[in-house]
Amino acid sequence: MNDSPDCPLVGVAATYMPRLSEFGFEPGLVAAVDQHAAAVCDALIPAQRGPRPRTVHREELADYVLGFTDWLTEVDWVEPVGHDFATLRLTAVCWLIREHDLLAA
């Protein structure tokens, strides 16, 4: 599941990971992505709410991404030039992938 082409995290990372480089130029983006990352964590591990570190597992995040991208397909979402809810959410997924080293072997 790590770097398999079938893993949805690979495609999301390839497309949205470069957006993390925008953090240095858009401080508001950092806050927005942080909020989206927290929301994703809450969806994945609701029992771990609170200040302690949360553990994000690759398989759970991949399932989340599959559901989210399926919904985007259903609503005929088109990626905008800027940032909307979906791009912020997918960028947050990339931040979680990077912070939890989810594509490591």
Side-chain angles (χ1 to χ4, degrees), residues 66-85:
L66 281 175
F68 188 71
T69 54
D70 283 349
W71 174 76
L72 291 176
T73 300
E74 287 176 18
V75 299
D76 294 324
W77 176 75
V78 176
E79 184 178 350
V81 173
H83 303 284
D84 66 351
F85 177 88

Side-chain angles (χ1 to χ4, degrees), residues 7 13 16 18 31 35 38 74 89 95 99 101:
C7 177
Y16 295 95
Q35 289 177 335
E74 287 176 18
R89 188 58 54 109
W95 185 84
E99 292 302 305
D101 202 20

Side-chain angles (χ1 to χ4, degrees), residues 14-91:
T15 303
Y16 295 95
M17 194 70 78
R19 287 184 178 253
L20 296 179
S21 66
E22 297 173 27
F23 282 6
F25 306 105
E26 297 186 46
L29 180 60
V30 176
V33 169
D34 183 60
Q35 289 177 335
H36 278 269
V40 171
C41 286
D42 285 348
L44 297 177
I45 36 185
Q48 291 187 18
R49 294 177 205 259
R52 62 184 182 263
R54 299 172 181 199
T55 303
V56 175
H57 299 283
R58 183 177 50 233
E59 293 79 13
E60 293 167 345
L61 188 58
D63 287 344
Y64 177 88
V65 166
L66 281 175
F68 188 71
T69 54
D70 283 349
W71 174 76
L72 291 176
T73 300
E74 287 176 18
V75 299
D76 294 324
W77 176 75
V78 176
E79 184 178 350
V81 173
H83 303 284
D84 66 351
F85 177 88
T87 57
L88 290 171
R89 188 58 54 109
L90 293 167
T91 303

